[in-house]
Structure formats: structure tokens, C-alpha cells
Amino acid sequence: MSKPVNIAILGATGAVGTELLKLLESRNFPLNSLKLLASPRSAGSKLTFKGETLEVKEVKANSFSNIDLVLASAGSSVSKVWAKTITNAGAVMIDNSSAFRLDPDVPLIIPEINPKSLIGHNKIIANPNCTTILMAMVIYPLHKIKPIKRIVVSTYQSVSGAGTQAMEEMKQQFKNIFNDKKPEAKILPYPLAFNLFLHDSKMTDTGYCEEEMKMVNETRKIFNEPDLKVTATCVRVPVLRAHSESINLEFDEPFPINKAREAILQTSGIQLCENWQKNHFPMPVDASNHDDVLVGRIRQDISHPCGLELWICGDQILKGAALNAVQIAELLINKNY
Amino acid sequence: MSKPVNIAILGATGAVGTELLKLLESRNFPLNSLKLLASPRSAGSKLTFKGETLEVKEVKANSFSNIDLVLASAGSSVSKVWAKTITNAGAVMIDNSSAFRLDPDVPLIIPEINPKSLIGHNKIIANPNCTTILMAMVIYPLHKIKPIKRIVVSTYQSVSGAGTQAMEEMKQQFKNIFNDKKPEAKILPYPLAFNLFLHDSKMTDTGYCEEEMKMVNETRKIFNEPDLKVTATCVRVPVLRAHSESINLEFDEPFPINKAREAILQTSGIQLCENWQKNHFPMPVDASNHDDVLVGRIRQDISHPCGLELWICGDQILKGAALNAVQIAELLINKNY
């Protein structure tokens, strides 16, 4: 792909879409043109890019002519509907949905981890699930040193993962409670204000929900470790936009903490955040609006001789979605993949 | 101990103290007299019991004469100061603090689990840590069937565990944010509104905080399993009064899910809460103000042939503190220990 490029954002008005726009601006992305697309419901909205007002257009069959790259973030069903149209028009699609992530013909990319899996792509590239990206960013540098045998992870996922409307609904729920009214849940499955619940994605027959199985299957694919043992419990918490994760790792032999810290300090995209005196470790408010995933409270697991405990927080909309997608786009352009 | 008894509540105005008062009333506890005690700061407050207004008195050296039983819930340092005075006065102390929990001469009791450890007590009986009680209630019935080999637990702890003032502070933080003001943290270590953080109890040299070590050491003592392997990550979340826990259990052999469900259904004090069709599992709002600990989403761990995943929620102030203490008192009286 030669630069500068003609880009379309599909799902421009969503939580991830608006962040994509900001990143293309702040990272000075080599753009020739930018087209904003959305469903008929959101078409007509106006968004600002580099001081100019752009109108969001309804996505149509001819929307992708002369487009080089589509950043799609309008959900799985929308991606499935438009994928063929996009690639037939000659464009490459970086898809933020789960539609094609496990398709063996589709690379699932975290630029810091498996950039070379992009080589020979078939015009669809998948952006991994947000909780998976954040976890993978932190544990891959350790996995390279000593292979991880098993992962037990519990998540603390912000409401942003359920979209802009869910964020607004949760805020309204708090306001209702403070005004002695009942908190209403229309977008979210249950009230989230002063509450939390297991992730409400579709249940699979193993008793794991789809979000949890994404952490299992996508981590395996990104690491190219089809037999990696992973168990996950995904939980939605009343936090606005950064996800946290409590991660227990098992190795075949002990992993010295200092070696883990060293590996983290040497890896770009993650940041060690540990102040043991002040009991200050990663928090969602610190991770929000930050590119790096924060990691801290690294401990030798006292229940397992070869175990490590980690605590991470990362911006779900940035590295968990929009930033990773833009980094994939940059990789395509800079490496001419 | 013969009934009816003369009771004193030490720390009557706190989150647990006020709940103790309600429980003595609602459970029709065999009371002869009730004395409410607190620090000089809280003395003078008025509380209602069975329609009568009782004044909270300042705790003094002569406060415990003619008292049979003291329910202490004013923190560890207060318990340490008054324990000898209480027992020298001839009263039994049920202590909600961590002061004596690991003392080998002090029984650490969950009435449903180890009631017989009360026999031969030396007038001080410890009420376990809240997260420990809630977890132990659910996993002990399984442990009796097949011994648990290892526990990996991550908690989602409500602000009530930090006390009444912390609850009010968190609400105020939300209100501040909605009014474009900064959330202030004076009681809590960091703002908790739309945020969460690792439990801020004192750090130990293993890298585990004291709250986490309570889950390790108290579970071992209650189960009488000094070598039980436990690792815990304790997290404070913006929820008002019920704690949640993501629990991963390892056994020596596979534990069939149906057998686990059956054991839970047959155990009093815990309740199976699973609606797989509606994706409805335990939530803090459902567990709040309920005596039973809720458990659900029981799954065979896909990362371990002998693993089980559980999700629980329980009222931190009730079974996690006040209810368990009152149940210990009832046991003392009814069994004449």
C-alpha cells in the first residue's frame, strides 16, 4: 500500500469511530482523503477533523470506490454485510469486530506481537478483542522468555466496551439513584450503577460466554500457540473507559520477578506502574486516554512455585481498539504489506 | 452461657454495628439488656432498638461489668485495647476485627463450617474477614466432597468494607464528577467513582497486601488445612455493599458440575443463582441485604482437567460480618459453649 491513502471509517459515530478520527489527526496519518460512513440512523451527523467539518454519509454499495483502506467499527453483523463489497472494490479492511477474527485466512494482529502475520493478507485484517489485546500486550514479552503454560484471568471491564449509548445509560442510572429514581437498563442487560455483572455476551455450551472464549481463542491465535491453556471470567464494572485484569500465569519453571519487570520495562506499549510504598498500582482513571497498557503489583504466586500474579489496566477504546487498528494501518503503509 | 444475655455492642455506630442492632432485633435474639458503646467521637448518638431510643455511651473501663457478651466491631486497635478489660470482666468477646484471628488460642468461626472449634474457647472468639467468609461458605461444601488443592481468587469488593464514611465519600465523588468538580479522596486512598483499585491494606513482604493474606491464612485456619494453596488479588470497586469473587478451584481429580450444584443446593446459607438463558448470575444488587451468599456460573475449567470456576456475591456487612457474628453468639447460647 503506497501513501498517502484514501481512508473510510465505517461506524464513524461510535465510541471507537470517534477515537479513530482523533488518532488519524494526532498521529499525522498519511491521508489523502477521509470518508466517514455509518448506518442510516447515524448518517447526517457532523464530525470535526483537522478543523474541517465532515458529514457522516450513509454506507452504500458504491461507498468504497477509490478507497484504499477501511477502518470498520460498526459491529460484527455490519462487517459481515460489507466485507465483500469493500474487498471487491479493491480496499483493505481493518475490522474491529469479531466477524473474521478466527477465520484462518484472516490475520489477527497486534503490531507489537505478530506484525509479520500481516504478510500475504487477503485484504481483511482483524483487530483483536479489547481485553485480549490488553492482556496479550503484557504477557507476550514474558511468554517469549519462558513459555506460559496456563492463564487464569478475571476482568474488570468498563462500560465503554458496550458502546457510547451504554456509557450514557450508566451515567443516567447513577443520576437516577441519586434522585431516588429506579436505574433503567435498556442498552445494558442490568443496571450497572453501584453494581457489576458477568459479561452478557452469548453463552457457549462450555459455560463460558463469547467474550471469555475470545480471550482463550484469540490469545492462542495471536501467540500462534493453539494449545495454550486459558480460562477467563469476564465482568462488567461501573467504570467508564479502561479495562482492568487480574492475571495469574503458570510457567514450567519459576519466573523471577525482576526478570519480568525488566522485560516489561524494555517493551514498548506497556508501562510498569508500581509504587509499593504508596500502594499505587494501575487504576482505570490513570490508564484512560493513555496509549500504553499499565502493569503492576507483579508478585511471585504463593500458591504455585512457577506462578506469577499481574495486575493490568488499559484504555479499552485506545490500545484495546482504535489505536491498535491505526497501528495496523500504519504497518501496512510503512512496510508496504 | 445461659439465656437471656446482657449484650454490649462496641462500635455501635459503624456500618457493621448498626447492622448488628438490626439483626438482634429481627432474629429475636434472647436479650436481657443491650448496651451501645463507641469511641468518644461517636458517643452521644441515638439509635433505635425495638422502638426504644438508646444512647450510645463512651466505652470506659467499667463499661463491661454485668455484660455477658460483647460484639466488637470498632477496628483492630480498639479490640486490642479493650480485650483484656472485657474478658477480665467475665464477658465473652466476639471480635469482628483482625486483631486475634490468627492467634492459636482464639477460634475463628463460621458457624456453618467449624462450629465445634468454639468448644473450650478462652472468651475471645474471632469473626473472619468478610471476603474469606463469603468464599469459604461456598467452597467448603465442595472441599468436604473432594479436597481443594489450590484456590486462585480475584475479588470485587464493595466500599462498605472501608466503612460508613467511605460509602458517603464515594457517593460524594460521583456527585462531584456529575457537577464537573474533582472527586475528593480523604477516607479512601484514591477516588473510587468510575474507578477501582487494588485493596489498600498494608503491604506484606510477599507482595500480597494484608487483605489478600487474610484470605490465605484465615481460609487455612477455618478449614483446618494449614497447607492449602491459596492466591488472592483483592480489588475495591464502586459498589455499595456486596462483595463479588471470581474463584478458580483445583482438585486432585475432576469435580463434576452437577455434583457441585447438588452440594450447593443442599447447604444452608448459600444459594444457587443461575439462569443461563437470561445470562443472569449473582450480582451485588441481588446479594445486598440478603443473608445467603449467591453462587453461579459454575463451569468446568477449560484450562485444567480438575478445575472448577465459580462466581459468587454476598452481602459484606451481613454474612461477611454482622450476621456471622450474631450466628456465633446464637451458637454460644444455644449450645451452651
Side-chain angles (χ1 to χ4, degrees), chain B residues 8-310:
Chain B
I9 298 180
L10 176 57
T13 56
V16 176
T18 50
E19 206 63 44
L20 283 169
L21 211 63
K22 284 191 214 165
L23 287 166
L24 294 180
E25 181 165 337
S26 66
R27 294 172 76 89
N28 218 4
F29 193 89
L31 266 182
N32 187 48
S33 71
L34 178 62
K35 198 170 196 174
L36 305 184
L37 300 168
S39 64
R41 193 173 47 80
S42 300
S45 316
K46 302 252 190 333
L47 295 171
T48 307
F49 182 73
K50 293 193 175 177
E52 270 184 69
T53 303
L54 298 180
E55 192 181 321
V56 180
K57 308 278 188 191
E58 182 183 339
V59 57
K60 289 184 177 169
N62 63 356
S63 294
F64 305 103
S65 59
N66 294 320
I67 294 292
D68 302 305
L69 187 64
V70 177
L71 298 168
S73 187
S76 188
S77 54
V78 175
S79 287
K80 281 179 191 161
V81 166
W82 294 103
K84 277 231 164 112
T85 314
I86 291 168
T87 54
N88 285 345
V92 171
M93 178 191 198
I94 299 176
D95 184 25
N96 197 49
S97 85
S98 62
F100 306 105
R101 284 183 194 148
L102 298 184
D103 185 326
D105 291 333
V106 172
L108 184 65
I109 301 293
I110 299 177
E112 291 89 343
I113 296 176
N114 60 342
K116 290 191 177 158
S117 300
L118 268 180
I119 297 170
H121 66 81
N122 294 313
K123 291 196 176 153
I124 299 180
I125 295 148
N127 203 33
N129 162 266
C130 47
T131 41
T132 308
I133 295 178
L134 303 176
M135 178 172 80
M137 281 294 291
V138 174
I139 67 173
Y140 188 71
L142 308 180
H143 182 66
K144 275 195 301 184
I145 296 169
K146 290 177 196 278
I148 293 169
K149 205 175 131 192
R150 180 174 175 234
I151 304 168
V152 180
V153 57
S154 295
T155 72
Y156 303 68
Q157 296 180 226
S158 63
V159 68
S160 58
T164 315
Q165 287 179 297
M167 292 169 86
E168 291 309 313
E169 183 172 273
M170 183 183 77
K171 286 187 207 163
Q172 191 56 49
Q173 290 172 352
F174 276 108
K175 288 177 186 169
N176 279 14
I177 291 172
F178 286 125
N179 289 309
D180 291 322
K181 288 185 204 160
K182 267 199 150 180
E184 280 183 45
K186 289 177 182 169
I187 310 291
L188 293 163
Y190 301 101
L192 188 52
F194 298 125
N195 194 29
L196 50 85
F197 45 78
L198 285 160
H199 199 282
D200 64 307
S201 52
K202 211 178 144 195
M203 196 57 65
T204 70
D205 53 13
T206 53
Y208 287 71
C209 70
E210 283 186 349
E211 181 82 356
E212 290 160 352
M213 290 313 295
K214 288 175 188 173
M215 295 194 80
V216 176
N217 294 321
E218 297 184 20
T219 306
R220 287 174 174 170
K221 179 165 176 176
I222 297 162
F223 286 16
N224 194 22
E225 297 281 2
D227 299 320
L228 184 65
K229 288 172 185 158
V230 187
T231 178
T233 301
C234 289
V235 182
R236 186 78 74 197
V237 295
V239 164
L240 281 168
R241 66 174 278 166
H243 287 356
S244 307
E245 302 180 28
S246 169
I247 304 172
N248 183 284
L249 299 178
E250 285 172 43
F251 300 88
D252 270 322
E253 47 184 290
F255 201 122
I257 303 178
N258 287 343
K259 211 164 181 169
R261 289 211 181 92
E262 207 177 284
I264 287 161
L265 287 169
Q266 286 168 359
T267 307
S268 66
I270 58 179
Q271 201 178 306
L272 191 65
C273 168
E274 288 189 323
N275 185 330
W276 292 85
Q277 276 71 41
K278 289 193 174 173
N279 230 324
H280 188 190
F281 301 103
M283 296 195 287
V285 290
D286 291 339
S288 294
N289 299 300
H290 279 75
D291 287 356
D292 286 356
V293 183
L294 308 180
V295 51
R297 200 77 191 295
I298 303 169
R299 294 166 282 161
Q300 207 78 54
D301 178 350
I302 52 170
S303 77
H304 195 294
C306 308
L308 266 193
E309 288 271 18
L310 308 172

Side-chain angles (χ1 to χ4, degrees), chain A residues 78-305:
Chain A
V78 175
S79 287
K80 281 179 190 159
V81 166
W82 294 103
K84 277 232 164 109
T85 313
I86 291 168
T87 54
N88 285 345
V92 171
M93 177 189 197
I94 299 176
D95 185 24
N96 197 48
S97 84
S98 63
F100 306 105
R101 286 183 192 146
L102 298 183
D103 185 327
D105 291 334
V106 172
L108 183 65
I109 302 293
I110 298 178
E112 290 89 345
I113 297 177
N114 61 342
K116 290 191 177 158
S117 299
L118 267 180
I119 297 169
H121 67 81
N122 294 314
K123 289 195 174 152
I124 300 180
I125 296 148
N127 204 34
N129 162 267
C130 48
T131 40
T132 308
I133 294 178
L134 302 176
M135 177 172 80
M137 281 295 290
V138 174
I139 67 173
Y140 188 72
L142 308 181
H143 182 66
K144 275 195 301 183
I145 296 170
K146 291 178 196 277
I148 293 169
K149 206 175 131 192
R150 180 173 175 235
I151 304 168
V152 180
V153 56
S154 295
T155 72
Y156 302 67
Q157 295 181 227
S158 64
V159 67
S160 58
T164 316
Q165 286 178 298
M167 292 169 86
E168 292 309 313
E169 183 172 274
M170 183 184 77
K171 287 187 208 164
Q172 190 56 51
Q173 290 171 352
F174 276 108
K175 289 177 186 169
N176 279 13
I177 290 172
F178 286 125
N179 289 308
D180 291 321
K181 288 185 202 160
K182 267 199 148 180
E184 280 183 44
K186 289 177 180 169
I187 310 291
L188 293 163
Y190 302 101
L192 187 53
F194 298 125
N195 195 30
L196 50 83
F197 46 78
L198 286 160
H199 199 282
D200 64 307
S201 52
K202 211 178 143 194
M203 196 55 65
T204 71
D205 53 14
T206 53
Y208 287 70
C209 70
E210 282 187 349
E211 182 82 357
E212 290 159 353
M213 291 312 295
K214 286 175 188 174
M215 294 194 82
V216 177
N217 294 320
E218 295 184 22
T219 306
R220 287 174 174 169
K221 180 166 176 177
I222 297 161
F223 286 16
N224 194 24
E225 297 281 3
D227 299 320
L228 184 64
K229 288 171 186 160
V230 187
T231 178
T233 300
C234 289
V235 182
R236 185 77 75 197
V237 295
V239 164
L240 281 168
R241 65 175 276 168
H243 288 355
S244 308
E245 302 181 26
S246 168
I247 303 172
N248 184 283
L249 299 178
E250 285 172 41
F251 300 87
D252 269 322
E253 47 184 290
F255 201 123
I257 304 176
N258 287 344
K259 210 164 182 170
R261 288 211 182 94
E262 206 177 286
I264 287 160
L265 287 169
Q266 287 169 356
T267 307
S268 66
I270 59 179
Q271 201 177 304
L272 191 65
C273 168
E274 288 188 325
N275 185 329
W276 293 85
Q277 275 70 42
K278 289 193 174 174
N279 230 324
H280 188 192
F281 302 104
M283 296 195 287
V285 290
D286 291 339
S288 294
N289 299 301
H290 279 75
D291 287 357
D292 285 357
V293 183
L294 307 181
V295 53
R297 198 76 192 294
I298 303 169
R299 293 167 282 163
Q300 207 79 52
D301 178 350
I302 52 170
S303 76
H304 194 294

